[in-house]
Amino acid sequence: MMMDGRDVVAMWEGLASRDAASRDAAMESLQQEMMRRVESIGPLPETPCSSSASHLNRVLARILMLSKRCPYGDVREKCIWLLRSIQDIGVRIPRPLGNGPSRFIPEKEILQVSKVDARTQSIFEEAFSLGHLDNISLVMGFHPQYLESFLRTQHYLLQMDGPLSLHYRHYIGIMAAARHQCSYLVNLHVNDFLQVGGDPKWLNGLEGAPQKLQALGELNKILAHRPWLLTKTHIESLLKAEENSWSLAELIHAVVLLTHYHSLASFTFGCGITPDIHTDGGHTFRPPSLSGYCVCDIANGNGVAEVSGEVEVLMERMKQLQECRDEEEASQEEMTTRFEREKTESMLVATAEDEECVPSRDVSRHFEDPSYGYQDFSRRGEHVPTFRVQDYSWEDHGFSLVNRLYPDVGQLLDEKFQIAYNLTYNTMATHQGVDTSMLRRAIWNYIHCMFGIRYDDYDYGEINELLDRSFKVYIKTMVCSPEKTTKRMYESFWRQFQHSEKVHVNLLLMEARMQAELLYALRAITRYMT
Amino acid sequence: MEKMACVSTVSSRTMFCHLDAPANAISVCRDATQVVVAGRNIFKIYAMEEDGFVERLNLRVGRKPSLNFSCADVMWHQMEENLLATAATNGAVVTWNLARPCRNKQEHLFTEHKRTVNKVCFHPTEVHMLLSGSQDGFMKCFDLRKKESVSTFSGQSESVRDVQFSMKDYFTFAASFENGNVQLWDIRRPDRYERMFTAHTGPVFCCDWHPEDRGWLATGGRDKMVKVWDMTTNRAKEIYCVQTIASVARVKWRPERRWHLATCSMMVDHNIYVWDVRRPFIPFATFEEHKDVTTGIVWSHQHDPYVLLSGSKDSTLYQHIFKDASRPVDRANPEGLCFGLFGDLAFAAKESLMTGEAGRKPYPAGDRRYPIFFFKKPDVTEQFAQVASALSVFESEADGSSRMDWFIKTARRYLLSGKPFAELCDHNAKVAKELNRPQVSTTWTMLRIMFSDPGNPALPANHNMSKLGNIPLMNSFNLKEMSSALNERNKENRQDNLHNLETNLNNDENEETEGSDGQAEYLFGDAELDDDDLYSMEHENQAEEAEFSLPQEAFPLRHEIVDHPSAPEPPAEKPESPQVSGSEAESFCLTPMESISLISVSQLLYQPQLPPSFFCPVVREMLDYYAEQGDVQMAVSVLIVLGDRIRKEIDELTQEHWYMSYIDLLQRFELWNVSNEVIKLSTCSAITCLNQASTTLHINCSNCKRPMSNKGWICDRCHQCASVCAVCHHVVKGLFVWCQGCSHGGHLEHVMEWLKSSNHCPAGCGHLCEYT
C-alpha cells in the first residue's frame, strides 16, 4: 500500500512526539515504508535521476538528519540502524557535509549541551515537534534562557495572529535575509513560503512579487545598511500608495520582521551556521575522500592558549575603570569627542578583505541594487545628526508604539532585549564570579555607536579600553556586512574564551543591532504620525 | 487672602509661546509668576504676564554648552524662590541659584549617578534637601549645604523613573521603577525600603502624592493606566483606576479638587486629560492644543485649580485655562447595548430618546420589554453632567431560536467517549432528535453509517453483512418518525427544496439519484457539491444512496427554510415536482423489500475503493459548516467522537480554535464538568494543558498547623497522620471533604452520612456544618 501524503506527514509528526509509544509506532511505519521503497527501486538504481530515486534520496537525507539531530535518543539510534540496513541492501546513503551546525564551533560541543542541560533538552523537544529545530537553535542552545524567548518571539512573528498573511511574512523574511546574502535563511524560508501556499513566481525576484512588497524593498535596503537615512517620507510613501498602501499595523509587523531577519543574518554568519542536514548543501551522497579533510578542521581547537593572559588583562582593565571612574572626571567636551572618535574610528576598522564576493545568483535575485551596502557615514563627510537615546528609547517610546499597533509583540521583544542584555553567568573564560556588566554594556553601546546612537550617560572611552582591535573588526564586520565574516575573524578575537561565550557575544550583537534598526524605523514612524 | 492675590495677578486666558527647542520638563515658582522650561537644548525662564509669556532669563550659557545642560527634569524650589534643580541626561544633578550675580547661575554640580538622572525633587518643607532618582537604580539625597550626597538609597531593582516627597509625611518619599514596582522609603533609613508593591506591568513612569489626602498616591505607567493607591492601610490598596489610551508620562493632582488629576502621555497621544477618578471612563476635561507629545504639565499654583501649564516636544509652552477646555462628556453618546447569555438584549439610552418612541409599535421579536430606570444620586462634588438613561431589556421568546436551552441540554447529554463509536453516534442522534434538532440528529446517524463499518476487505463477507444489517433498519425506523414530522410541513417548502435538488442534478437522473444528491446536499448544508463527487457516489454504490435518500427528504426542507426562506420559485419547476412527491419517496424506503435489497447490495457499498477516509473531506466540510453557523458544539463533539478518523483532516489551529470557543461557551454557562471533559478528551496540546495549570493544593497539617511538605499522609513535623476522618478516625486516602467553616472533615460518604442525622460537626467543635 502506498502511503499518501497525509500519512507521511503524520508519520514525521509522530517521530517528533513526546510520547515514546507513538514515536515507536511512527518509527515502525517509517521502517516498513523505507524497506518497501528501497526494494521497489532495487539495489543500485541505474537511473539515479528518476523521480522516485530523488524522492528516496530526500527521505534518506531526512532520516540522516533525524539520526543526528533528533532530541530523542531512541529515534536517533533507530535511524542510524535503519540507514545502515538500507546501506546493506546496496543503496547509497548520504552523509553529512561539514562538521556540525556551525563551521566555527566543534559539533561535539554544541550537541553536548542538550545532554547536560534538561532545560535545553525540553526546549529542543518543543522546537523539534514544531519542526523548527534548525542549526540556529542548536547553536543558541548554549543559552537556553535566551533561546526560549527567541523561539517564542519568532513563532509569534511567523505563525500567530498578526496583520500580515503567512506567505507575506515568509517573503519578507526572505527579502531581509537576501539583503545580507544569507542563503541559509533564504532557503529556510523559501521552503516555508511554498508550504503556506506562496506563489512560486514571487521567488524569481522582487519584480515577480506584488507591488506592495516591491515598495518595501527600499525600506529593506535602507534599514539593513544605513538606517539613519530613514525619514518620515519613506514611511509616507509606503502608507499612501493608493491601492498598494500598507496599513500602520502591517508596516510595524513588516519592520519587526525585517529587523529580526537582518540581525538573524548577522548571527548566522557570525556563528558560521551551516545548512541543515536535510536541506541542499547539508549532505552529500558522495563517499568521503581523504583529501576532503581540512587540516585545520582536525587540528583546530579553540583552547590552544598561545596568547596567555588576555583575559587577565581585560579583567584588570575592567577593575581599573571601576575604581578610577570616581576620581578622574572627563569634561563634557572630552566626552563628546570620545563618542565622535569612537564613531569615526568604528568606520575605519577595515571590514576584512575587500574582495567583492559576488552573491550567488540564487540569492541575489531577491533584492535589487546589490551594490548598496553599509556606508561609513563619517568618512564621506556627510554629517549625520547623532541619535540621542534619551530622546527616543525603546523602553519609553519604541515599546509603546509597537505594542499599540501590534499587540503582544512589544512585550515579547522587550523581554528578548532584556534577556539578551542582562544575560550573564558571571564568568569570563576560566574565571568565576566576574561582574561582566561593564563589558556587556561596552559591546552594546559600541554597536549602537556604529549606528550613530549615543547614550548621554556613557563614557565612550571605556570602549577603547575594553574592546581590542580584532574584536572590533569582528563586531563591525558582523553588524555591517555579515556576509564577509570569516572563520579567521571568529577565531582571532578573545582566543581564550569559550565557544558559549562567543555565542553569547553574538547574541548581544544581534539584539543590539535589531534594537538600533528598530529605533530608527520606529522614530520615523512616530514622526510620520505626529 | 493669598489665594485671591495669586489668581488676580495671573492673566486668565489660554496663551502660548514658541520655544526654540522641544521641552522635557517645566516647573513654576511658588507665586505662579514665572515658569522654567528645560529640555535637551533649552533652559529658560519665562514670566507669565497679562499678554503672554515673556522670556526672562536664559540659563544655558557658554559657547559650547555641556551635557550638564541637557535636562531630563527640572524643579523650582517651592520655598526658596531663587533655587532650581535639574536632572541631566548624563547623570549630573545640578542646582542653580538665580541670585548669583554673574551670568552663570550654576551653584552645585553632583556627578554621583552613573546613568541618566530621571527625576529631581525638593523637599516640600525642608529648604536644603534634594532627592534624585536615576537610571542606575539609585536614589540620592543631597543636603545643599554639603558638596556631596548625604545618603544613597538602592532600589535593588531597575531604573528609578520618579521620586516624590510626601506632602504630609515629613520623612516619607515614594519612588517608582522601570520594572513596575513602587517603593516607599523613610528618608532616615537608607538601608531598606519601608514598603514595596507592584503597581503596573512595565515601567511606572510617574507618581504623585495627593496634596491633601495623606496617603493617596497616584501612579501612571506604560500599561496605559493611572492608579490611585491608598497607602494608609497595611497593604497598598488600589482604590481607583483610570484606563487611558496611551502610556502615561506624567500625572498631577488638581489643586482644590479632591478627585481630579491631570495626565499626559508619553507617545502618540498629544492631549492633556483631566480625570475625575470616580468617573474613569471619560475624561472630565481635555486640552487639545499641542501638536506633539506633551512632556511636562504643572498646575500654576497650589491653590488655583483653573490654570494648567504645559510644555511639549512641539516646542511650545502653553497656559491652559479651564474654561477653554473641551468637555468630552458633552459630546458622548450615553448609549449601551449588550447581549445576554440566553439571548436577551439590553439596551440603554438617554431617557429623552427612549420616551420619544413610546408610541412605536412593539419590537417584533421580543414580546416583552422592561423599561428600567436608573437614577444615580447626583453628587454635587462631581461636576459631571448628569445623564439619566433608560434601560430596556428585550427577552427572547421562550422557545425562540435564540434561546440557548438546547445548547445546555445538548452539552449535558451528549456522550463523547466511553462507548463504542456506533453507540455514541446513536446516543447523540437520539439526544439531538429529542431536542428537536433533526438536522443534527441525522448528521450523527450519517456519521455512524459512514465510519462505523470497518471497511476492511480482510474481514469475512458475512461479518460485513451482519454488521450492515442494522443500518438500514435503524434508518427506516428513523425515517418513520421523521416523515411524520415531515408531513406537517407544507407542500410549498417541499417543492422549493426539490427544486433545489434538481438544479443540482442533470435532469435525466432517476429518483434514486435525486435522493443521493439531496443527501449530499443536506450533508454539506449548501448546494456546492462537485459534480464529480456526485457521479462517483452514484456509480459506485446505488444502495447507499437508497439508504440515505429518505432522511434527506426530511431535513433539507428544514435547512432550506432557514437558509433561503424567500427563494423565488421558477414556475417551470411545478410540473416536475409531483414526480418525486414526499409520500412516494417515503413509502419506497419503508417497505421491507427495500431493506432487503439494501442488504443484498451492501457488498458493493463497502468495496475497498470506498474506505471511511473517503468521507473525510465531506465530513470536514460539514464540520466547517457547523462551525461557521455558530454551532461549534457540533463541530467539537463530532471531532471528539470521530477522533483519529478525522483529526488529521483538520489543521491544528482550526481545531484549537473550535475547542477554545466551545470551552469558552461551556464555561459561560457554568457547565464546568462538560468543559473539563472536553478539555480532557481534546488532543490539541494547547487545550489539554488548560487543566494542567494550578492543580496543586497546598494543605496544612491538621495537628501542628504547619504546611505539609512531603507526599503521603504523615506530617513530617509532628509525625502524626494529618488527614484523619472526623467520623471514623482513620486516615482518608481518597476523596476528602471538609467544612469551609471549621475545616473539619473526612471520608466523603462518612460525612454525608453523619450530616444526615446531625447538624453539628462530627469533630465536636460545635460548628454547624452543612453539606450541600
Side-chain angles (χ1 to χ4, degrees):
Chain A
M1 189 183 79
M2 195 78 172
M3 283 174 106
D4 64 17
R6 213 172 296 124
D7 291 343
V8 171
V9 170
M11 182 184 74
W12 292 120
E13 270 172 11
L15 285 176
S17 159
R18 278 185 191 225
D19 171 34
S22 55
R23 286 204 302 270
D24 267 354
M27 199 63 219
E28 194 62 35
S29 67
L30 175 66
Q31 271 170 24
Q32 284 173 5
E33 170 77 3
M34 285 313 292
M35 285 311 172
R36 189 193 51 71
R37 231 182 241 182
V38 167
E39 274 153 24
S40 78
I41 291 175
L44 287 177
E46 292 304 307
T47 50
C49 307
S50 73
S51 73
S52 68
S54 78
H55 185 231
L56 176 69
N57 284 349
R58 270 207 304 279
V59 178
L60 281 174
R62 196 148 177 188
I63 296 174
L64 177 70
M65 184 274 286
L66 285 175
S67 74
K68 294 275 183 188
R69 298 281 180 266
C70 182
Y72 303 102
D74 53 342
V75 175
R76 280 200 302 270
E77 271 165 39
K78 280 186 186 148
C79 283
I80 293 171
W81 175 84
L82 180 60
L83 279 177
R84 210 169 285 147
S85 49
I86 290 172
Q87 193 176 26
D88 290 346
I89 297 174
V91 176
R92 245 191 345 220
I93 61 158
R95 68 185 173 83
L97 266 179
N99 52 355
S102 160
R103 282 185 292 129
F104 302 162
I105 308 167
E107 185 173 13
K108 274 202 309 266
E109 213 166 309
I110 294 173
L111 295 180
Q112 214 162 22
V113 175
S114 66
K115 284 171 199 141
V116 179
D117 190 326
R119 185 164 174 199
T120 315
Q121 171 75 12
S122 87
I123 296 172
F124 280 177
E125 281 171 15
E126 189 171 340
F128 190 72
S129 64
L130 289 169
H132 294 154
L133 187 60
D134 45 22
N135 284 343
I136 291 181
S137 313
L138 283 173
V139 173
M140 282 183 185
F142 281 118
H143 307 283
Q145 198 192 359
Y146 174 82
L147 176 63
E148 209 171 4
S149 162
F150 172 84
L151 288 176
R152 195 166 47 225
T153 311
Q154 186 167 269
H155 184 248
Y156 195 94
L157 287 177
L158 291 175
Q159 315 288 343
M160 303 300 278
D161 291 345
L164 289 173
S165 55
L166 291 182
H167 60 289
Y168 262 59
R169 302 181 194 189
H170 289 295
Y171 195 78
I172 292 172
I174 295 171
M175 282 170 70
R179 211 47 253 177
H180 284 308
Q181 297 147 40
C182 181
S183 52
Y184 174 81
L185 287 174
V186 169
N187 289 334
L188 205 65
H189 285 282
V190 163
N191 285 340
D192 288 344
F193 173 73
L194 294 174
Q195 216 161 46
V196 296
D199 184 350
K201 268 191 243 130
W202 297 11
L203 296 176
N204 296 332
L206 201 53
E207 49 293 356
Q211 200 67 45
K212 190 167 165 179
L213 280 169
Q214 289 185 28
L216 200 64
E218 179 75 8
L219 180 71
N220 182 21
K221 195 168 75 179
I222 297 177
L223 259 186
H225 304 295
R226 302 173 205 172
W228 50 89
L229 294 181
L230 209 59
T231 60
K232 71 177 192 184
T233 42
H234 292 115
I235 305 298
E236 196 168 352
S237 68
L238 284 171
L239 294 175
K240 296 211 170 125
E242 308 288 301
E243 73 272 26
N244 294 318
S245 58
W246 291 73
S247 75
L248 262 176
E250 285 174 332
L251 184 64
I252 292 276
H253 193 171
V255 161
V256 174
L257 280 170
L258 285 175
T259 53
H260 178 82
Y261 280 101
H262 289 152
S263 52
L264 195 55
S266 280
F267 181 85
T268 309
F269 284 110
C271 289
I273 303 289
T274 53
D276 289 323
I277 290 180
H278 60 285
T279 58
D280 292 340
H283 61 274
T284 177
F285 283 88
R286 252 184 251 129
S289 62
L290 275 177
S291 59
Y293 284 108
C294 174
V295 186
C296 59
D297 278 352
I298 300 167
N300 187 27
N302 214 46
V304 194
E306 318 143 21
V307 205
S308 62
E310 193 192 34
V311 186
E312 286 72 17
V313 170
L314 185 56
M315 283 173 62
E316 189 55 37
R317 278 198 189 145
M318 279 165 64
K319 215 166 126 200
Q320 273 174 8
L321 279 174
Q322 198 86 51
E323 282 161 359
C324 72
R325 203 150 55 163
D326 305 327
E327 298 150 25
E328 170 233 5
E329 199 54 59
S331 73
Q332 295 308 313
E333 291 73 27
E334 176 62 17
M335 292 293 223
T336 314
T337 342
R338 280 182 191 171
F339 172 74
E340 290 301 331
R341 192 176 59 217
E342 210 54 54
K343 195 164 80 175
T344 323
E345 215 174 71
S346 79
M347 307 311 144
L348 301 177
V349 173
T351 55
E353 48 270 54
D354 262 352
E355 86 223 26
E356 200 55 54
C357 57
V358 182
S360 60
R361 200 48 225 125
D362 188 37
V363 174
S364 65
R365 66 177 181 224
H366 292 301
F367 62 91
E368 322 157 294
D369 196 2
S371 62
Y372 191 97
Y374 175 86
Q375 190 189 44
D376 304 340
F377 45 99
S378 312
R379 198 195 283 172
R380 309 279 159 118
E382 49 179 310
H383 187 71
V384 179
T386 304
F387 185 116
R388 305 276 190 160
V389 111
Q390 266 77 9
D391 292 345
Y392 199 98
S393 69
W394 164 254
E395 286 80 15
D396 293 2
H397 306 93
F399 172 89
S400 302
L401 184 63
V402 171
N403 231 26
R404 185 185 181 88
L405 294 167
Y406 188 11
D408 295 345
V409 164
Q411 203 65 47
L412 287 169
L413 290 176
D414 199 39
E415 258 169 46
K416 188 157 71 92
F417 287 141
Q418 274 189 24
I419 289 175
Y421 190 84
N422 294 324
L423 189 69
T424 182
Y425 306 95
N426 293 321
T427 56
M428 269 175 81
T430 51
H431 300 266
Q432 307 281 324
V434 191
D435 178 12
T436 57
S437 59
M438 190 183 252
L439 189 58
R440 283 180 283 128
R441 193 168 165 213
I443 296 171
W444 186 276
N445 288 358
Y446 181 61
I447 294 155
H448 277 190
C449 168
M450 270 188 291
F451 286 97
I453 297 174
R454 179 174 176 190
Y455 291 79
D456 280 347
D457 52 1
Y458 188 68
D459 175 6
Y460 285 84
E462 278 184 29
I463 289 177
N464 240 1
E465 295 285 316
L466 297 177
L467 313 184
D468 60 20
R469 190 164 174 81
S470 56
F471 189 29
K472 280 185 179 171
V473 169
Y474 179 73
I475 295 180
K476 161 94 175 169
T477 316
M478 221 195 95
V479 170
C480 301
S481 36
E483 61 278 7
K484 291 179 186 152
T485 316
T486 62
K487 186 165 183 178
R488 214 181 60 219
M489 275 184 219
Y490 177 84
E491 275 159 5
S492 62
F493 83 94
W494 280 16
R495 261 165 289 196
Q496 286 176 313
F497 284 77
Q498 282 157 17
H499 284 300
S500 69
E501 288 171 310
K502 289 192 171 186
V503 172
H504 184 177
V505 167
N506 268 293
L507 295 180
L508 264 180
L509 300 190
M510 172 168 124
E511 291 301 328
R513 175 176 183 198
M514 178 166 181
Q515 198 180 73
E517 282 186 22
L518 260 183
L519 280 178
Y520 276 109
L522 295 176
R523 188 179 65 165
I525 294 174
T526 309
R527 284 190 176 160
Y528 166 79
M529 286 168 74
T530 49
Chain B
M1 199 55 226
E2 183 202 333
K3 177 181 161 190
M4 296 314 293
C6 131
V7 174
S8 62
T9 54
V10 176
S11 65
S12 46
R13 67 185 183 86
T14 299
M15 60 184 187
F16 76 101
C17 79
H18 281 290
L19 311 171
D20 312 325
N24 277 347
I26 61 173
S27 185
V28 285
C29 72
R30 180 188 166 82
D31 57 6
T33 52
Q34 297 184 79
V35 57
V36 58
V37 182
R40 173 174 290 286
N41 295 312
I42 184 171
F43 190 22
K44 281 181 180 173
I45 291 176
Y46 289 87
M48 292 178 272
E49 294 189 350
E50 200 65 40
D51 42 353
F53 291 102
V54 177
E55 182 179 331
R56 275 289 154 81
L57 188 61
N58 187 358
L59 290 156
R60 217 176 139 80
V61 291
R63 254 182 313 117
K64 251 188 139 185
S66 79
L67 274 178
N68 290 342
F69 286 99
S70 166
C71 305
D73 190 36
V74 64
M75 181 155 180
W76 202 312
H77 204 295
Q78 293 302 299
M79 303 183 65
E80 183 62 63
E81 62 178 18
N82 283 327
L83 198 55
L84 287 104
T86 58
T89 52
N90 66 349
V93 174
V94 195
T95 59
W96 313 80
N97 188 349
L98 301 179
R100 274 169 76 105
C102 55
R103 267 186 75 219
N104 189 355
K105 308 289 185 192
Q106 180 174 332
E107 187 154 78
H108 293 291
L109 177 67
F110 304 100
T111 53
E112 293 180 32
H113 284 295
K114 303 272 186 291
R115 305 282 305 269
T116 299
V117 179
N118 287 319
K119 193 76 190 176
V120 284
C121 182
F122 282 114
H123 195 279
T125 49
E126 191 63 46
V127 179
H128 297 288
M129 203 184 284
L130 174 68
L131 189 66
S132 67
S134 157
Q135 198 76 12
D136 60 12
F138 292 102
M139 295 142 278
K140 282 174 189 287
C141 181
F142 302 95
D143 186 327
L144 299 182
R145 292 162 295 197
K146 291 182 183 168
K147 285 261 176 292
E148 54 193 31
S149 63
V150 285
S151 45
T152 301
F153 310 87
S154 167
Q156 302 288 349
S157 53
E158 286 177 66
S159 319
V160 186
R161 299 308 298 242
D162 199 356
V163 283
Q164 290 288 341
F165 275 112
S166 166
M167 292 291 177
K168 298 285 178 186
D169 291 322
Y170 184 87
F171 295 110
T172 309
F173 73 88
S176 73
F177 290 83
E178 198 149 294
N179 59 5
N181 288 342
V182 170
Q183 295 178 353
L184 247 57
W185 288 80
D186 187 317
I187 202 87
R188 297 161 296 185
R189 287 195 56 195
D191 53 327
R192 211 189 126 71
Y193 52 80
E194 300 282 292
R195 177 190 283 187
M196 176 166 85
F197 61 96
T198 303
H200 294 264
T201 51
V204 188
F205 287 136
C206 51
C207 59
D208 197 33
W209 289 95
H210 198 281
E212 285 137 42
D213 262 297
R214 178 191 299 257
W216 275 23
L217 181 73
T219 59
R222 194 170 70 179
D223 58 2
K224 306 178 187 173
M225 306 230 241
V226 180
K227 292 179 179 175
V228 180
W229 304 86
D230 184 358
M231 309 292 252
T232 52
T233 48
N234 275 340
R235 288 186 58 214
K237 203 175 110 206
E238 184 188 321
I239 44 177
Y240 294 109
C241 178
V242 176
Q243 175 88 49
T244 70
I245 57 167
S247 53
V248 182
R250 311 265 173 184
V251 53
K252 286 272 178 265
W253 286 101
R254 187 177 175 201
E256 314 267 280
R257 293 290 181 276
R258 185 158 186 225
W259 282 283
H260 287 195
L261 49 78
T263 66
C264 66
S265 81
M266 185 75 98
M267 277 288 288
V268 192
D269 184 17
H270 312 152
N271 297 342
I272 302 163
Y273 300 103
V274 179
W275 301 88
D276 185 320
V277 290
R278 295 165 300 175
R279 306 288 294 263
F281 304 108
I282 193 158
F284 175 70
T286 314
F287 299 104
E288 295 162 336
E289 280 84 3
H290 284 296
K291 302 281 184 292
D292 201 339
V293 284
T294 310
T295 48
I297 48 175
V298 60
W299 296 95
S300 73
H301 191 273
Q302 53 179 329
H303 293 293
D304 180 4
Y306 300 108
V307 184
L308 179 75
L309 295 159
S310 70
S312 156
K313 283 249 153 114
D314 64 4
S315 307
T316 56
L317 172 68
Y318 260 91
Q319 172 178 279
H320 308 277
I321 302 299
F322 227 83
K323 67 175 166 33
D324 296 339
S326 76
R327 304 294 183 102
V329 76
D330 297 340
R331 284 171 286 160
N333 262 343
E335 276 161 25
L337 181 72
C338 189
F339 255 114
L341 198 54
F342 294 92
D344 303 336
L345 180 73
F347 174 64
K350 252 188 186 162
E351 220 178 327
S352 52
L353 283 175
M354 296 298 274
T355 50
E357 60 187 46
R360 217 187 45 156
K361 63 179 177 184
Y363 188 63
D367 298 322
R368 289 169 288 175
R369 56 187 255 200
Y370 299 104
I372 306 167
F373 293 93
F374 284 109
F375 288 110
K376 197 179 168 198
K377 205 177 157 203
D379 185 345
V380 278
T381 58
E382 271 181 27
Q383 297 170 326
F384 261 82
Q386 294 297 329
V387 178
S389 43
L391 176 73
S392 313
V393 177
F394 302 94
E395 283 188 338
S396 63
E397 290 169 81
D399 29 271
S401 56
S402 54
R403 284 293 281 223
M404 294 293 280
D405 293 348
W406 61 267
F407 178 88
I408 301 170
K409 285 190 184 138
T410 314
R412 285 223 177 94
R413 292 173 57 190
Y414 265 3
L415 281 181
L416 300 178
S417 66
K419 283 190 177 175
F421 171 73
E423 281 179 46
L424 290 179
C425 286
D426 284 345
H427 175 89
N428 293 345
K430 211 168 116 228
V431 169
K433 191 149 61 67
E434 283 166 17
L435 291 172
N436 208 12
R437 304 177 69 210
Q439 185 183 359
V440 173
S441 163
T442 317
T443 308
W444 281 112
T445 316
M446 299 293 314
L447 286 172
R448 176 191 121 107
I449 292 164
M450 282 193 249
F451 288 94
S452 65
D453 186 80
N456 189 345
L459 275 176
N462 59 350
H463 178 83
N464 224 346
M465 289 278 283
S466 65
K467 268 213 142 177
L468 273 172
N470 288 335
I471 296 165
L473 288 176
M474 167 67 194
N475 236 21
S476 44
F477 164 73
N478 269 348
L479 285 175
K480 210 180 288 173
E481 293 203 351
M482 285 166 194
S483 54
S484 60
L486 177 76
N487 286 335
E488 292 162 18
R489 314 227 170 245
N490 62 35
K491 190 86 178 172
E492 247 178 52
N493 282 331
R494 184 170 301 175
Q495 283 173 348
D496 191 344
N497 176 41
L498 285 175
H499 146 63
N500 258 326
L501 297 186
E502 282 173 8
T503 48
N504 272 343
L505 276 187
N506 300 334
N507 282 331
D508 53 356
E509 301 290 344
N510 63 15
E511 250 181 49
E512 270 184 3
T513 21
E514 272 180 4
S516 87
D517 187 37
Q519 137 68 14
E521 193 248 335
Y522 133 77
L523 237 191
F524 308 133
D526 54 26
E528 290 170 10
L529 193 65
D530 269 1
D531 275 11
D532 289 350
D533 278 1
L534 275 182
Y535 287 125
S536 63
M537 278 179 115
E538 284 152 18
H539 298 316
E540 276 162 17
N541 45 20
Q542 303 265 324
E544 189 191 41
E545 287 142 18
E547 213 176 79
F548 290 144
S549 61
L550 274 215
Q552 154 278 136
E553 281 287 13
F555 298 118
L557 292 184
R558 182 172 158 71
H559 178 66
E560 288 306 320
I561 295 163
V562 175
D563 259 6
H564 316 284
S566 58
E569 197 175 324
E573 289 299 323
K574 295 265 178 193
E576 286 176 50
S577 50
Q579 252 184 336
V580 209
S581 79
S583 55
E584 196 181 339
E586 278 148 29
S587 60
F588 118 80
C589 207
L590 289 174
T591 54
M593 273 288 290
E594 285 294 328
S595 300
I596 289 163
S597 78
L598 283 180
I599 297 172
S600 64
V601 282
S602 58
Q603 283 283 35
L604 258 176
L605 176 65
Y606 291 100
Q607 294 268 315
Q609 298 98 301
L610 202 56
S613 66
F614 171 81
F615 297 106
C616 284
V618 175
V619 175
R620 187 186 63 212
E621 279 182 47
M622 176 200 75
L623 292 185
D624 278 339
Y625 163 76
Y626 274 115
E628 281 300 306
Q629 292 285 305
D631 188 2
V632 75
Q633 180 179 50
M634 185 65 187
V636 172
S637 304
V638 172
L639 197 59
I640 293 176
V641 169
L642 283 181
D644 285 330
R645 299 176 184 85
I646 190 71
R647 194 177 303 135
K648 292 185 193 82
E649 286 289 321
I650 299 161
D651 72 295
E652 283 271 323
L653 266 180
T654 316
Q655 286 190 32
E656 202 179 307
H657 187 69
W658 289 351
Y659 276 120
M660 290 307 279
S661 318
Y662 187 39
I663 290 165
D664 186 45
L665 268 175
L666 287 173
Q667 294 184 343
R668 275 173 199 237
F669 285 102
E670 301 181 354
L671 298 163
W672 311 111
N673 288 339
V674 184
S675 115
N676 206 44
E677 190 191 358
V678 170
I679 293 174
K680 223 169 81 189
L681 290 172
S682 78
T683 47
C684 299
S685 50
I687 303 298
T688 42
C689 71
L690 283 180
N691 60 5
Q692 308 289 313
S694 64
T695 51
T696 313
L697 187 66
H698 297 279
I699 53 170
N700 286 357
C701 171
S702 57
N703 290 318
C704 62
K705 310 284 185 276
R706 311 277 269 297
M708 295 275 287
S709 50
N710 61 347
K711 291 173 187 140
W713 295 281
I714 307 248
C715 171
D716 53 353
R717 288 209 177 76
C718 58
H719 303 289
Q720 298 225 8
C721 287
S723 44
V724 177
C725 175
V727 181
C728 70
H729 299 288
H730 286 290
V731 179
V732 185
K733 297 186 178 178
L735 287 178
F736 188 95
V737 63
W738 70 93
C739 169
Q740 304 273 312
C742 64
S743 69
H744 291 116
H747 292 106
L748 178 61
E749 58 271 31
H750 290 169
V751 173
M752 278 168 78
E753 194 93 341
W754 178 275
L755 288 174
K756 266 181 205 159
S757 53
S758 166
N759 287 333
H760 289 271
C761 173
C765 69
H767 187 261
L768 288 167
C769 302
E770 198 182 346
Y771 182 87
T772 46

